[in-house]
Amino acid sequence: MQNYKHGGHTIWDCKYHLVWVTKYRYPILGGDVGLRCRELLREIARSKEMIIYAGSINRDHVHVGYHVIIFQKGAILCSEHARY
C-alpha cells in the first residue's frame, strides 16, 4: 500500500508505457540524437511531476514507463511529448 496514492474516497496507482517509433523505422536515435532524446524525456518528466520507472532508447524506437504522481490523462501525456 506504500506505492499507492490516496484521494478522499480512492486509492490509485497510475502508470503509462509509451512507445515512439521513428517514421519508416529509420535508425536515427543512436549517438548524440539518442542522448538528447533521453535528456528531453527526463526534462519533460520533471516538469510534469512524473517519475520514469523504466526506459529504453533503441536506434529506431523509444520505450518509456511513467509513474504519474498527479493524475493526468494518457492523451495529455502523449500530446506533451509530441511537441518535442
Side-chain angles (χ1 to χ4, degrees):
M1 292 292 281
Q2 294 174 339
N3 294 335
Y4 296 110
K5 304 299 173 201
H6 299 274
H9 298 283
T10 59
I11 299 175
W12 56 278
D13 183 29
C14 189
K15 295 181 181 177
Y16 293 103
H17 179 207
L18 302 175
V19 180
W20 289 276
V21 178
T22 60
K23 188 172 185 176
Y24 305 119
R25 293 189 73 99
Y26 286 133
I28 61 169
L29 295 175
D32 292 338
V33 177
L35 293 175
R36 180 65 179 143
C37 182
R38 179 172 288 147
E39 291 172 9
L40 285 173
L41 290 172
R42 288 178 179 168
E43 182 180 319
I44 293 168
R46 276 192 297 272
S47 69
K48 297 296 177 185
E49 298 182 16
M50 298 182 291
I51 298 170
I52 297 175
Y53 68 88
S56 171
I57 298 178
N58 298 323
R59 292 174 40 157
D60 62 350
H61 66 281
V62 177
H63 288 269
V64 181
Y66 286 112
H67 175 76
V68 180
I69 297 171
I70 299 172
F71 186 75
Q72 297 175 351
K73 294 181 181 177
I76 294 172
L77 287 174
C78 291
S79 66
E80 289 291 327
H81 285 80
R83 291 189 301 151
Y84 295 92

Coordinates of all heavy atoms in Angstrom, one line a residue:
M1 N 0.8 -1.2 0.0 CA 0.0 0.0 0.0 C 0.9 1.3 0.0 O 0.3 2.3 -0.2 CB -0.9 0.0 1.2 CG -2.0 -1.0 1.2 SD -3.2 -0.7 -0.1 CE -4.2 0.5 0.6
Q2 N 2.2 1.2 0.1 CA 3.0 2.3 0.2 C 3.1 3.1 -1.1 O 3.2 4.3 -1.2 CB 4.4 2.0 0.7 CG 4.4 1.5 2.1 CD 5.8 1.0 2.5 OE1 6.6 0.6 1.6 NE2 6.1 0.9 3.8
N3 N 3.1 2.3 -2.3 CA 3.2 3.0 -3.6 C 1.9 3.5 -4.1 O 2.0 4.2 -5.1 CB 3.8 1.9 -4.6 CG 5.2 1.5 -4.2 OD1 5.9 2.3 -3.6 ND2 5.5 0.3 -4.6
Y4 N 0.8 3.3 -3.5 CA -0.5 3.8 -4.0 C -0.7 5.2 -3.5 O -0.3 5.6 -2.4 CB -1.6 2.9 -3.5 CG -1.5 1.5 -4.1 CD1 -1.2 0.4 -3.3 CD2 -1.7 1.3 -5.4 CE1 -1.1 -0.8 -3.8 CE2 -1.6 0.0 -6.0 CZ -1.3 -1.0 -5.2 OH -1.2 -2.3 -5.7
K5 N -1.4 6.0 -4.3 CA -1.8 7.4 -3.9 C -3.2 7.3 -3.4 O -4.0 6.5 -3.8 CB -1.7 8.3 -5.1 CG -0.4 8.3 -5.8 CD 0.7 8.8 -4.8 CE 2.0 8.7 -5.4 NZ 3.1 8.7 -4.5
H6 N -3.5 8.2 -2.4 CA -4.8 8.2 -1.8 C -5.5 9.5 -2.0 O -4.9 10.5 -1.9 CB -4.7 8.0 -0.3 CG -4.0 6.7 0.1 ND1 -4.7 5.5 0.3 CD2 -2.7 6.4 0.3 CE1 -3.9 4.5 0.6 NE2 -2.7 5.0 0.6
G7 N -6.8 9.4 -2.4 CA -7.7 10.5 -2.5 C -8.7 10.5 -1.4 O -8.6 9.7 -0.5
G8 N -9.7 11.3 -1.5 CA -10.8 11.3 -0.5 C -11.5 10.0 -0.4 O -11.7 9.4 0.7
H9 N -11.8 9.4 -1.5 CA -12.5 8.1 -1.5 C -11.9 7.1 -2.5 O -12.5 6.2 -2.9 CB -14.0 8.3 -1.8 CG -14.7 9.1 -0.9 ND1 -15.1 8.7 0.4 CD2 -15.1 10.4 -0.9 CE1 -15.7 9.6 1.0 NE2 -15.7 10.7 0.3
T10 N -10.6 7.3 -2.8 CA -10.0 6.5 -3.8 C -8.6 6.1 -3.4 O -7.9 6.8 -2.6 CB -9.9 7.3 -5.2 OG1 -9.1 8.4 -5.0 CG2 -11.2 7.6 -5.7
I11 N -8.1 5.0 -4.0 CA -6.7 4.6 -3.9 C -6.3 4.3 -5.3 O -7.0 3.5 -6.0 CB -6.6 3.3 -3.0 CG1 -7.0 3.6 -1.6 CG2 -5.1 2.8 -3.0 CD1 -7.0 2.4 -0.7
W12 N -5.2 4.9 -5.8 CA -4.8 4.6 -7.2 C -3.3 4.6 -7.4 O -2.5 5.1 -6.6 CB -5.4 5.7 -8.1 CG -5.1 7.1 -7.7 CD1 -5.7 7.9 -6.8 CD2 -4.1 7.9 -8.3 NE1 -5.1 9.1 -6.7 CE2 -4.1 9.2 -7.6 CE3 -3.2 7.7 -9.3 CZ2 -3.3 10.2 -8.0 CZ3 -2.3 8.8 -9.6 CH2 -2.4 10.0 -8.9
D13 N -2.9 4.0 -8.5 CA -1.5 3.9 -8.9 C -1.5 3.9 -10.4 O -1.9 2.9 -11.0 CB -0.9 2.6 -8.4 CG 0.6 2.5 -8.7 OD1 1.2 3.5 -8.8 OD2 1.1 1.4 -8.9
C14 N -1.2 5.0 -11.0 CA -1.3 5.2 -12.4 C 0.1 5.2 -13.1 O 1.0 5.9 -12.8 CB -2.0 6.6 -12.7 SG -2.4 6.8 -14.4
K15 N 0.2 4.2 -14.0 CA 1.4 4.1 -14.8 C 1.1 4.0 -16.3 O 0.1 3.5 -16.7 CB 2.2 2.8 -14.4 CG 2.7 2.9 -12.9 CD 3.4 1.6 -12.6 CE 3.8 1.7 -11.1 NZ 4.5 0.6 -10.7
Y16 N 2.0 4.6 -17.1 CA 1.8 4.5 -18.5 C 3.1 3.9 -19.2 O 4.2 4.2 -18.7 CB 1.6 5.9 -19.1 CG 0.3 6.6 -18.7 CD1 0.3 7.5 -17.7 CD2 -0.9 6.2 -19.3 CE1 -0.9 8.1 -17.3 CE2 -2.1 6.8 -18.9 CZ -2.1 7.8 -17.9 OH -3.2 8.4 -17.5
H17 N 2.9 3.2 -20.2 CA 4.0 2.6 -21.0 C 3.8 3.2 -22.4 O 2.9 2.8 -23.1 CB 4.0 1.1 -21.0 CG 5.1 0.5 -21.8 ND1 5.0 -0.7 -22.4 CD2 6.3 1.0 -22.2 CE1 6.1 -0.9 -23.1 NE2 6.9 0.1 -23.0
L18 N 4.7 4.1 -22.8 CA 4.6 4.8 -24.1 C 5.7 4.3 -25.0 O 6.9 4.1 -24.6 CB 4.7 6.3 -23.9 CG 3.6 6.9 -23.0 CD1 3.9 8.4 -22.9 CD2 2.2 6.7 -23.6
V19 N 5.4 4.1 -26.3 CA 6.4 3.7 -27.3 C 6.3 4.6 -28.5 O 5.2 4.9 -29.0 CB 6.1 2.2 -27.8 CG1 7.2 1.8 -28.8 CG2 6.1 1.3 -26.6
W20 N 7.5 5.2 -28.8 CA 7.5 6.0 -30.0 C 8.4 5.3 -31.0 O 9.5 4.7 -30.7 CB 8.2 7.4 -29.7 CG 7.3 8.3 -28.9 CD1 6.4 9.1 -29.4 CD2 7.4 8.5 -27.5 NE1 5.8 9.8 -28.4 CE2 6.4 9.4 -27.2 CE3 8.1 7.9 -26.5 CZ2 6.1 9.8 -25.9 CZ3 7.9 8.3 -25.2 CH2 6.9 9.2 -24.9
V21 N 8.0 5.4 -32.3 CA 8.7 4.7 -33.4 C 9.0 5.8 -34.4 O 8.1 6.6 -34.8 CB 7.9 3.6 -34.0 CG1 8.6 2.9 -35.2 CG2 7.6 2.5 -33.0
T22 N 10.2 5.8 -35.0 CA 10.6 6.8 -36.0 C 9.9 6.4 -37.3 O 9.5 5.3 -37.5 CB 12.1 6.8 -36.3 OG1 12.5 5.5 -36.7 CG2 12.9 7.2 -35.0
K23 N 9.7 7.4 -38.1 CA 9.0 7.2 -39.4 C 9.8 6.2 -40.2 O 11.0 6.3 -40.4 CB 8.8 8.5 -40.1 CG 8.0 8.4 -41.4 CD 7.7 9.8 -41.9 CE 6.8 9.7 -43.1 NZ 6.4 11.1 -43.6
Y24 N 9.1 5.2 -40.8 CA 9.7 4.1 -41.6 C 10.8 3.4 -40.8 O 11.6 2.7 -41.3 CB 10.3 4.6 -42.9 CG 9.3 5.4 -43.7 CD1 9.6 6.7 -44.0 CD2 8.2 4.8 -44.2 CE1 8.7 7.5 -44.8 CE2 7.3 5.6 -44.9 CZ 7.6 6.9 -45.3 OH 6.7 7.6 -46.0
R25 N 10.7 3.5 -39.5 CA 11.7 2.9 -38.5 C 13.1 3.1 -38.9 O 14.0 2.3 -38.8 CB 11.4 1.4 -38.4 CG 10.1 1.1 -37.7 CD 9.8 -0.3 -37.4 NE 10.6 -0.8 -36.3 CZ 10.2 -0.9 -35.1 NH1 9.0 -0.5 -34.7 NH2 11.0 -1.4 -34.1
Y26 N 13.4 4.4 -39.4 CA 14.8 4.8 -39.7 C 15.6 4.7 -38.4 O 15.2 5.2 -37.4 CB 14.8 6.2 -40.3 CG 14.4 6.2 -41.7 CD1 13.5 7.2 -42.1 CD2 14.8 5.3 -42.7 CE1 13.1 7.3 -43.4 CE2 14.4 5.4 -44.0 CZ 13.5 6.4 -44.3 OH 13.1 6.5 -45.6
P27 N 16.8 4.2 -38.5 CA 17.7 4.1 -37.2 C 18.4 5.4 -37.0 O 19.6 5.4 -37.2 CB 18.6 2.9 -37.6 CG 18.7 3.0 -39.1 CD 17.4 3.4 -39.6
I28 N 17.7 6.4 -36.5 CA 18.4 7.7 -36.3 C 18.6 8.0 -34.8 O 19.2 9.1 -34.5 CB 17.6 8.8 -37.0 CG1 16.2 8.9 -36.3 CG2 17.5 8.6 -38.4 CD1 15.4 10.1 -36.7
L29 N 18.2 7.2 -33.9 CA 18.2 7.6 -32.5 C 19.5 7.1 -31.8 O 19.6 7.0 -30.6 CB 17.0 7.0 -31.7 CG 15.7 7.6 -32.2 CD1 14.6 6.9 -31.4 CD2 15.6 9.1 -31.9
G30 N 20.6 6.8 -32.6 CA 21.8 6.4 -32.0 C 22.7 7.6 -31.7 O 22.5 8.7 -32.3
G31 N 23.7 7.5 -30.9 CA 24.7 8.5 -30.7 C 24.1 9.7 -30.0 O 23.4 9.7 -29.0
D32 N 24.5 10.9 -30.5 CA 24.1 12.2 -29.9 C 22.6 12.4 -29.9 O 22.0 13.0 -29.0 CB 24.8 13.4 -30.6 CG 26.3 13.4 -30.4 OD1 26.7 12.8 -29.4 OD2 27.0 14.0 -31.2
V33 N 21.9 12.0 -31.0 CA 20.5 12.1 -31.0 C 19.8 11.3 -29.9 O 18.8 11.8 -29.3 CB 19.9 11.7 -32.4 CG1 18.4 11.8 -32.5 CG2 20.6 12.5 -33.5
G34 N 20.2 10.1 -29.7 CA 19.7 9.3 -28.6 C 19.9 9.9 -27.2 O 19.0 9.9 -26.4
L35 N 21.1 10.5 -27.0 CA 21.4 11.2 -25.7 C 20.5 12.4 -25.5 O 20.0 12.6 -24.4 CB 22.9 11.6 -25.7 CG 23.9 10.4 -25.6 CD1 25.3 10.9 -25.7 CD2 23.6 9.6 -24.4
R36 N 20.3 13.2 -26.6 CA 19.4 14.4 -26.5 C 18.0 13.9 -26.2 O 17.3 14.6 -25.5 CB 19.5 15.2 -27.8 CG 18.7 16.4 -27.8 CD 19.1 17.4 -26.8 NE 18.3 18.6 -26.8 CZ 17.9 19.3 -25.8 NH1 18.3 19.0 -24.6 NH2 17.1 20.3 -25.9
C37 N 17.6 12.9 -26.9 CA 16.2 12.3 -26.6 C 16.0 12.0 -25.2 O 15.0 12.3 -24.6 CB 16.0 11.1 -27.5 SG 14.3 10.4 -27.4
R38 N 17.0 11.3 -24.6 CA 17.0 10.9 -23.2 C 16.9 12.2 -22.3 O 16.1 12.2 -21.3 CB 18.2 10.1 -22.8 CG 18.2 9.7 -21.4 CD 19.3 8.7 -21.1 NE 18.9 7.4 -21.7 CZ 19.8 6.6 -22.3 NH1 21.1 6.8 -22.3 NH2 19.4 5.5 -22.8
E39 N 17.7 13.2 -22.6 CA 17.6 14.4 -21.8 C 16.2 15.1 -21.9 O 15.7 15.5 -20.9 CB 18.7 15.4 -22.3 CG 20.1 15.0 -22.0 CD 21.1 15.9 -22.7 OE1 20.7 17.0 -23.3 OE2 22.3 15.6 -22.7
L40 N 15.7 15.1 -23.1 CA 14.4 15.7 -23.2 C 13.3 15.0 -22.5 O 12.4 15.6 -21.8 CB 14.0 15.8 -24.7 CG 14.7 16.9 -25.5 CD1 14.3 16.7 -27.0 CD2 14.3 18.3 -25.0
L41 N 13.3 13.6 -22.5 CA 12.3 12.8 -21.8 C 12.4 13.1 -20.3 O 11.4 13.2 -19.6 CB 12.5 11.4 -22.1 CG 12.1 11.0 -23.5 CD1 12.5 9.5 -23.8 CD2 10.6 11.2 -23.8
R42 N 13.6 13.1 -19.8 CA 13.8 13.4 -18.3 C 13.4 14.8 -18.0 O 12.7 15.0 -16.9 CB 15.3 13.2 -18.0 CG 15.7 11.7 -18.0 CD 17.1 11.6 -17.7 NE 17.5 10.2 -17.7 CZ 18.7 9.7 -17.6 NH1 19.7 10.5 -17.6 NH2 18.9 8.4 -17.6
E43 N 13.6 15.8 -18.8 CA 13.2 17.1 -18.6 C 11.7 17.2 -18.5 O 11.1 17.9 -17.7 CB 13.8 18.0 -19.6 CG 13.5 19.5 -19.5 CD 14.1 20.3 -20.6 OE1 15.2 20.0 -21.0 OE2 13.4 21.2 -21.1
I44 N 11.0 16.6 -19.5 CA 9.6 16.6 -19.5 C 9.0 16.0 -18.3 O 8.0 16.4 -17.7 CB 9.0 15.9 -20.8 CG1 9.4 16.8 -22.0 CG2 7.5 15.7 -20.8 CD1 9.2 16.0 -23.3
A45 N 9.6 14.8 -17.9 CA 9.1 14.1 -16.7 C 9.2 15.0 -15.5 O 8.3 15.0 -14.6 CB 9.9 12.8 -16.5
R46 N 10.3 15.7 -15.3 CA 10.5 16.6 -14.1 C 9.4 17.7 -14.2 O 8.9 18.0 -13.1 CB 11.9 17.2 -14.1 CG 12.9 16.3 -13.5 CD 14.2 17.0 -13.2 NE 14.8 17.5 -14.4 CZ 15.7 16.8 -15.1 NH1 16.0 15.6 -14.8 NH2 16.2 17.3 -16.2
S47 N 9.2 18.3 -15.3 CA 8.3 19.4 -15.4 C 6.9 19.0 -15.2 O 6.1 19.8 -14.7 CB 8.4 20.1 -16.8 OG 7.9 19.3 -17.8
K48 N 6.5 17.8 -15.5 CA 5.1 17.3 -15.3 C 4.9 16.5 -14.0 O 3.9 15.8 -13.9 CB 4.7 16.5 -16.5 CG 4.7 17.2 -17.8 CD 3.6 18.3 -17.7 CE 3.6 19.1 -19.0 NZ 2.7 20.3 -18.9
E49 N 6.0 16.5 -13.2 CA 5.9 15.7 -11.9 C 5.6 14.3 -12.1 O 4.8 13.7 -11.5 CB 4.9 16.4 -11.0 CG 5.3 17.8 -10.6 CD 4.3 18.4 -9.6 OE1 3.5 17.6 -9.0 OE2 4.3 19.6 -9.4
M50 N 6.4 13.6 -13.0 CA 6.3 12.2 -13.3 C 7.6 11.6 -13.0 O 8.6 12.2 -13.0 CB 5.9 12.0 -14.8 CG 4.6 12.6 -15.2 SD 4.2 12.2 -16.9 CE 5.4 13.2 -17.8
I51 N 7.5 10.3 -12.7 CA 8.7 9.5 -12.4 C 8.9 8.5 -13.6 O 8.0 7.7 -13.9 CB 8.6 8.8 -11.1 CG1 8.5 9.8 -10.0 CG2 9.8 7.9 -10.9 CD1 8.2 9.2 -8.6
I52 N 10.1 8.4 -14.2 CA 10.4 7.4 -15.2 C 10.8 6.2 -14.4 O 11.9 6.2 -13.8 CB 11.5 7.9 -16.2 CG1 11.0 9.1 -16.9 CG2 11.8 6.8 -17.1 CD1 12.0 9.7 -17.8
Y53 N 10.1 5.1 -14.5 CA 10.5 3.9 -13.8 C 11.1 2.9 -14.7 O 11.8 1.9 -14.3 CB 9.3 3.2 -13.1 CG 8.2 2.7 -13.9 CD1 8.3 1.4 -14.4 CD2 7.1 3.4 -14.3 CE1 7.3 0.8 -15.2 CE2 6.1 2.9 -15.1 CZ 6.2 1.6 -15.5 OH 5.2 1.1 -16.3
A54 N 11.0 3.1 -16.0 CA 11.7 2.2 -17.0 C 11.9 2.9 -18.3 O 11.0 3.8 -18.6 CB 10.9 0.9 -17.2
G55 N 12.9 2.7 -19.0 CA 13.1 3.3 -20.3 C 14.2 2.7 -21.1 O 15.1 2.1 -20.6
S56 N 14.0 2.8 -22.4 CA 15.0 2.2 -23.3 C 14.9 3.0 -24.6 O 13.9 3.2 -25.2 CB 14.7 0.7 -23.6 OG 15.5 0.2 -24.6
I57 N 16.1 3.5 -25.1 CA 16.2 4.2 -26.3 C 17.0 3.3 -27.3 O 18.2 3.1 -27.1 CB 16.8 5.5 -26.2 CG1 16.0 6.4 -25.3 CG2 17.0 6.2 -27.6 CD1 16.5 7.8 -25.0
N58 N 16.3 2.8 -28.3 CA 16.9 2.0 -29.3 C 17.2 2.8 -30.6 O 16.8 4.0 -30.6 CB 16.1 0.7 -29.6 CG 15.9 -0.1 -28.4 OD1 16.8 -0.3 -27.6 ND2 14.7 -0.7 -28.3
R59 N 17.7 2.3 -31.6 CA 18.1 3.0 -32.8 C 16.8 3.5 -33.5 O 16.9 4.5 -34.2 CB 19.0 2.2 -33.7 CG 20.3 2.0 -33.1 CD 21.2 1.1 -33.9 NE 21.0 1.4 -35.3 CZ 21.9 1.1 -36.2 NH1 23.0 0.6 -35.9 NH2 21.7 1.4 -37.5
D60 N 15.7 2.8 -33.4 CA 14.5 3.1 -34.2 C 13.3 3.3 -33.4 O 12.2 3.6 -33.9 CB 14.3 2.1 -35.3 CG 14.0 0.7 -34.8 OD1 14.2 0.5 -33.6 OD2 13.6 -0.1 -35.6
H61 N 13.4 3.1 -32.1 CA 12.2 3.3 -31.2 C 12.6 3.6 -29.8 O 13.7 3.4 -29.4 CB 11.2 2.1 -31.3 CG 11.8 0.9 -30.7 ND1 12.7 0.1 -31.4 CD2 11.6 0.3 -29.5 CE1 13.0 -1.0 -30.6 NE2 12.3 -0.9 -29.5
V62 N 11.6 4.2 -29.0 CA 11.8 4.5 -27.6 C 10.7 3.9 -26.8 O 9.6 4.0 -27.1 CB 11.8 6.1 -27.4 CG1 12.0 6.4 -26.0 CG2 12.9 6.7 -28.3
H63 N 11.1 3.3 -25.7 CA 10.1 2.8 -24.7 C 10.3 3.6 -23.4 O 11.4 3.8 -22.9 CB 10.4 1.3 -24.3 CG 10.1 0.3 -25.3 ND1 8.9 -0.3 -25.4 CD2 10.8 -0.2 -26.3 CE1 8.8 -1.1 -26.4 NE2 10.0 -1.1 -27.0
V64 N 9.2 4.1 -22.8 CA 9.3 4.8 -21.6 C 8.1 4.4 -20.7 O 7.0 4.4 -21.1 CB 9.2 6.4 -21.8 CG1 9.3 7.1 -20.5 CG2 10.3 6.8 -22.8
G65 N 8.4 4.1 -19.5 CA 7.4 3.8 -18.5 C 7.4 4.9 -17.4 O 8.4 5.2 -16.8
Y66 N 6.2 5.5 -17.3 CA 6.0 6.6 -16.4 C 5.1 6.2 -15.2 O 4.1 5.5 -15.4 CB 5.3 7.8 -17.1 CG 6.1 8.6 -18.1 CD1 5.9 8.5 -19.4 CD2 7.2 9.4 -17.6 CE1 6.6 9.2 -20.3 CE2 7.9 10.1 -18.5 CZ 7.7 10.0 -19.9 OH 8.4 10.7 -20.7
H67 N 5.5 6.7 -14.1 CA 4.6 6.6 -12.9 C 4.1 8.1 -12.6 O 4.9 9.0 -12.4 CB 5.4 6.1 -11.7 CG 4.6 6.1 -10.4 ND1 3.6 5.2 -10.2 CD2 4.7 6.9 -9.4 CE1 3.1 5.4 -9.0 NE2 3.7 6.5 -8.5
V68 N 2.8 8.2 -12.7 CA 2.3 9.6 -12.6 C 1.9 9.9 -11.1 O 1.2 9.1 -10.5 CB 1.0 9.7 -13.5 CG1 0.4 11.1 -13.4 CG2 1.4 9.4 -14.9
I69 N 2.4 11.0 -10.6 CA 2.2 11.3 -9.2 C 0.9 12.1 -9.1 O 0.0 11.8 -8.3 CB 3.3 12.2 -8.7 CG1 4.6 11.4 -8.7 CG2 3.0 12.7 -7.3 CD1 5.8 12.2 -8.4
I70 N 0.7 13.1 -10.0 CA -0.6 13.8 -10.1 C -1.4 13.2 -11.3 O -0.8 13.1 -12.4 CB -0.4 15.3 -10.3 CG1 0.4 15.9 -9.1 CG2 -1.7 16.0 -10.5 CD1 0.9 17.3 -9.3
F71 N -2.6 12.8 -11.1 CA -3.3 12.1 -12.1 C -3.5 12.9 -13.4 O -3.9 14.1 -13.3 CB -4.7 11.7 -11.6 CG -5.5 10.8 -12.6 CD1 -5.1 9.5 -12.8 CD2 -6.4 11.4 -13.4 CE1 -5.8 8.7 -13.7 CE2 -7.1 10.6 -14.3 CZ -6.8 9.3 -14.5
Q72 N -3.0 12.4 -14.5 CA -3.1 13.0 -15.8 C -3.6 12.0 -16.8 O -3.4 10.8 -16.7 CB -1.8 13.5 -16.3 CG -1.2 14.6 -15.4 CD 0.2 14.9 -15.8 OE1 0.8 14.3 -16.7 NE2 0.8 16.0 -15.2
K73 N -4.4 12.5 -17.8 CA -4.9 11.6 -18.8 C -3.8 11.2 -19.7 O -2.8 11.9 -20.0 CB -6.0 12.3 -19.6 CG -7.2 12.5 -18.8 CD -8.3 13.2 -19.6 CE -9.5 13.5 -18.8 NZ -10.5 14.2 -19.6
G74 N -3.8 10.0 -20.3 CA -2.8 9.4 -21.2 C -2.7 10.3 -22.4 O -1.6 10.5 -23.0
A75 N -3.8 10.8 -23.0 CA -3.8 11.6 -24.2 C -3.0 12.9 -24.0 O -2.3 13.3 -24.9 CB -5.2 11.9 -24.7
I76 N -3.1 13.4 -22.8 CA -2.4 14.7 -22.5 C -0.9 14.4 -22.4 O -0.1 15.2 -22.9 CB -2.9 15.3 -21.2 CG1 -4.4 15.7 -21.4 CG2 -2.0 16.4 -20.7 CD1 -5.0 16.2 -20.1
L77 N -0.5 13.3 -21.8 CA 0.9 12.9 -21.8 C 1.5 12.8 -23.2 O 2.6 13.3 -23.5 CB 1.1 11.6 -21.0 CG 0.9 11.7 -19.5 CD1 1.0 10.3 -19.0 CD2 1.9 12.5 -18.9
C78 N 0.8 12.1 -24.1 CA 1.3 11.9 -25.4 C 1.4 13.2 -26.2 O 2.3 13.4 -26.9 CB 0.3 10.9 -26.2 SG 0.4 9.2 -25.5
S79 N 0.4 14.1 -26.0 CA 0.5 15.3 -26.8 C 1.6 16.2 -26.2 O 2.2 16.9 -27.0 CB -0.9 16.1 -26.6 OG -1.1 16.5 -25.3
E80 N 1.9 16.1 -24.9 CA 3.0 16.9 -24.4 C 4.3 16.4 -25.0 O 5.2 17.2 -25.3 CB 3.1 16.8 -22.9 CG 2.0 17.5 -22.2 CD 2.1 19.0 -22.3 OE1 3.2 19.5 -22.3 OE2 1.1 19.7 -22.3
H81 N 4.5 15.1 -25.2 CA 5.7 14.6 -25.7 C 5.8 14.8 -27.2 O 6.9 14.9 -27.8 CB 5.9 13.1 -25.4 CG 6.3 12.9 -24.0 ND1 5.4 12.9 -23.0 CD2 7.5 12.6 -23.4 CE1 6.0 12.7 -21.8 NE2 7.3 12.5 -22.1
A82 N 4.7 14.9 -27.9 CA 4.7 15.1 -29.4 C 5.2 16.5 -29.8 O 5.7 16.6 -30.9 CB 3.3 14.9 -29.9
R83 N 5.1 17.4 -28.9 CA 5.6 18.8 -29.2 C 7.1 18.8 -29.3 O 7.7 19.7 -30.0 CB 5.2 19.8 -28.1 CG 3.7 20.0 -28.1 CD 3.4 21.2 -27.1 NE 3.8 20.9 -25.8 CZ 4.1 21.8 -24.9 NH1 4.1 23.1 -25.2 NH2 4.5 21.5 -23.7
Y84 N 7.9 17.9 -28.7 CA 9.3 17.9 -28.8 C 9.7 17.0 -29.9 O 10.7 16.9 -30.4 CB 9.9 17.4 -27.5 CG 9.6 18.3 -26.3 CD1 8.5 18.2 -25.5 CD2 10.4 19.4 -26.1 CE1 8.3 19.0 -24.5 CE2 10.2 20.3 -25.1 CZ 9.1 20.1 -24.3 OH 8.8 21.0 -23.3

